[in-house]
């Protein structure tokens, strides 16, 4: 197999030939067809997340076909198309796992961060954390759903049922969530970098009723806002934009420091919460709805060997929607 490997934090990935691995008990091997590029991959590469496995093969939006199955695996078959998400393994015995919050597991393993991921021609996964994907939709179109879609879905659920929803940062996650929220009958307000007319046009095309800069106030108070951009300055801005009792959800794994702000922005029962990781149930709930909603992902393809270019373009905001590596 071949992979783009991060050998040292803060450096570029290197094209590397590796021996094919066999799946162990409870594992499957996936022949990778497509792998989405997520902002979290940048955080891994930049060394912004604690205790990564190094060297590491990044990538946690993986779509491919199962080509080897380890002992004791049930419910998956050879040749089946499947997806591998960020949550790669949980302990199943800690209080969080026992309480239905496996996204907060005390001993988790994350794909492309603490176990090798999908910037490769093949990858091994714990079979219990693999989602069958069926045959509808292309590999490339499905890839961004495995993280941008799933984390987006979880953040939307946590945002509550409010009709007027703000989305801060209109990248891979928001472009999926806008479609889901629209389908649910909500009104979407999209906030982009001030002056980013292209992103605002993109947001309106995907159903946003209003799109403007993050420094602007929406035309009416929001019931909830979700922040996908990794910019802490957005937190007080979003609190200012939500109504009394409204909720602001931070959906990123990493964010720059949040500046201090007057207490009156939080007063009147406004809530500020974060969303971490996903549960397998989130995945099942969301992937079941995708065909019904008719989610269309906007993707930019790169050959696997051009992963560094894809990461650089993501960092610079050079494409709409999501980047996907194809092998
Ligand atoms: Zn991700
Ligand atoms: Zn656990």
């Amino acid at each position: 197999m071949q992979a783009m490997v991060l050998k040292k934090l803060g450096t570029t990935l290197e094209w590397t030939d590796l021996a094919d691995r066999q799946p162990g008990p409870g594992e499957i091997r996936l022949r990778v067809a497509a792998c989405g590029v997520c902002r979290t991959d940048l955080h891994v590469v930049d060394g912004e997340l604690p205790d990564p496995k190094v060297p590491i093969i990044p990538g946690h939006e993986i779509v491919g076909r199962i080509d080897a199955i380890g002992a004791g695996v049930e419910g998956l078959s050879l040749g089946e198309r499947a997806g591998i998400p960020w949550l790669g393994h949980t302990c199943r015995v800690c209080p969080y796992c026992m309480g239905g919050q496996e996204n907060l597991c005390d001993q988790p393993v994350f794909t492309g961060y603490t176990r090798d991921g999908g910037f490769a021609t093949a990858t091994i996964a714990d079979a219990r954390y693999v989602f069958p994907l069926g045959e509808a939709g292309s590999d490339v179109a499905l890839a961004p759903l495995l993280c941008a879609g799933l984390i987006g879905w979880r953040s939307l659920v946590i945002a509550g049922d409010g009709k007027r929803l703000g989305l801060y940062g209109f990248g891979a996650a928001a472009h999926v969530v806008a479609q889901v929220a629209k389908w649910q009958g909500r009104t979407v307000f999209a906030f982009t970098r001030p002056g980013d007319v292209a992103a605002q046009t993109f947001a309106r095309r995907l159903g946003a009723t209003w799109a403007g800069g993050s420094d602007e106030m929406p035309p009416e108070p929001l019931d909830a806002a979700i922040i996908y951009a990794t910019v802490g300055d957005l937190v007080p801005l979003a609190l200012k934009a939500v109504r009394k009792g409204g909720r602001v959800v931070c959906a990123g794994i990493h964010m720059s420091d949040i500046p201090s702000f007057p207490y009156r922005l939080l007063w009147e029962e406004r809530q500020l919460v974060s969303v971490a990781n996903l549960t397998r149930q989130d995945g099942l709930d969301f992937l079941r709805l995708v065909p019904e909603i008719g989610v269309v992902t906007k993707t930019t393809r790169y050959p696997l060997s051009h992963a560094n270019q894809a990461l650089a373009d993501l960092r610079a905001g050079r494409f709409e929607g999501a980047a996907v590596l194809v092998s």
Side-chain angles (χ1 to χ4, degrees):
M1 60 176 275
Q2 287 81 39
M4 290 298 284
V5 182
L6 180 71
K7 295 183 176 164
K8 187 164 173 282
L9 297 179
T11 63
T12 52
L13 310 182
E14 291 178 37
W15 179 261
T16 309
D17 281 302
L18 297 163
D20 266 337
R21 277 185 54 208
Q22 293 302 319
E27 294 180 330
I28 57 105
R29 188 174 67 201
L30 200 74
R31 195 53 59 186
V32 179
C35 185
V37 180
C38 171
R39 188 156 291 277
T40 299
D41 298 317
L42 282 179
H43 298 316
V44 170
V45 169
D46 292 345
E48 288 173 325
L49 305 183
D51 306 318
K53 173 181 111 60
V54 182
I56 180 79
I57 302 170
H60 56 270
E61 298 181 309
I62 313 171
V63 176
R65 290 195 184 268
I66 296 171
D67 78 339
I69 297 183
V73 172
E74 284 170 14
L76 295 170
S77 45
L78 282 175
E80 183 171 13
R81 186 164 71 162
I84 301 175
W86 169 248
L87 187 71
H89 176 83
T90 56
C91 76
R92 306 175 106 200
V93 295
C94 77
Y96 297 103
C97 283
M98 300 294 282
Q101 290 179 294
E102 65 181 356
N103 59 308
L104 302 178
C105 175
D106 282 333
Q107 302 286 334
V109 178
F110 296 114
T111 311
Y113 170 32
T114 55
R115 78 179 288 158
D116 282 331
F119 289 7
T121 54
T123 192
I124 305 271
D126 182 328
R128 292 173 308 185
Y129 301 81
V130 172
F131 297 119
L133 289 179
E135 296 297 330
S138 76
D139 299 331
V140 168
L142 289 174
L145 300 180
L146 269 300
C147 180
L150 287 182
I151 301 288
W153 169 255
R154 185 172 178 84
S155 62
L156 186 59
V157 171
I158 299 225
D161 295 330
K163 284 270 179 273
R164 294 163 302 180
L165 178 74
L167 302 177
Y168 284 78
F170 209 84
H175 102 287
V176 174
V177 168
Q179 298 174 56
V180 179
K182 195 89 205 307
W183 176 80
Q184 291 174 328
R186 306 194 203 214
T187 307
V188 174
F189 300 82
F191 299 79
T192 70
R193 286 195 189 102
D196 191 345
V197 176
Q200 290 164 15
T201 306
F202 180 49
R204 281 193 211 94
R205 217 162 59 224
L206 289 176
T209 298
W210 176 92
S214 56
D215 55 346
E216 295 176 49
M217 286 294 279
E220 48 191 311
L222 306 174
D223 297 312
I226 309 174
I227 303 178
Y228 294 109
T230 59
V231 182
D233 299 88
L234 294 174
V235 170
L237 291 172
L239 280 169
K240 213 178 280 182
V242 298
R243 62 165 172 80
K244 290 182 278 189
R247 193 176 296 169
V248 173
V249 180
C250 299
I253 192 171
H254 180 83
M255 193 180 237
S256 58
D257 285 354
I258 299 169
S260 78
F261 55 84
Y263 174 64
R264 66 178 162 75
L265 294 184
L266 190 61
W267 170 240
E268 294 171 323
E269 303 196 345
R270 289 176 182 83
Q271 300 170 41
L272 176 62
V273 298
S274 69
V275 160
N277 313 316
L278 71 145
T279 65
R280 284 171 288 174
Q281 195 58 47
D282 293 327
L284 296 172
D285 292 347
F286 175 64
L287 293 170
R288 196 179 298 132
L289 281 175
V290 164
E292 199 177 325
I293 300 169
V295 174
V296 178
T297 52
K298 164 101 174 150
T299 55
T300 303
R301 294 168 189 234
Y302 297 82
L304 172 59
S305 58
H306 292 196
N308 290 310
Q309 188 60 50
L311 287 167
D313 289 350
L314 172 60
R315 197 188 294 280
R318 276 193 284 260
F319 52 77
E320 288 175 345
V324 177
L325 306 180
V326 288
S327 20

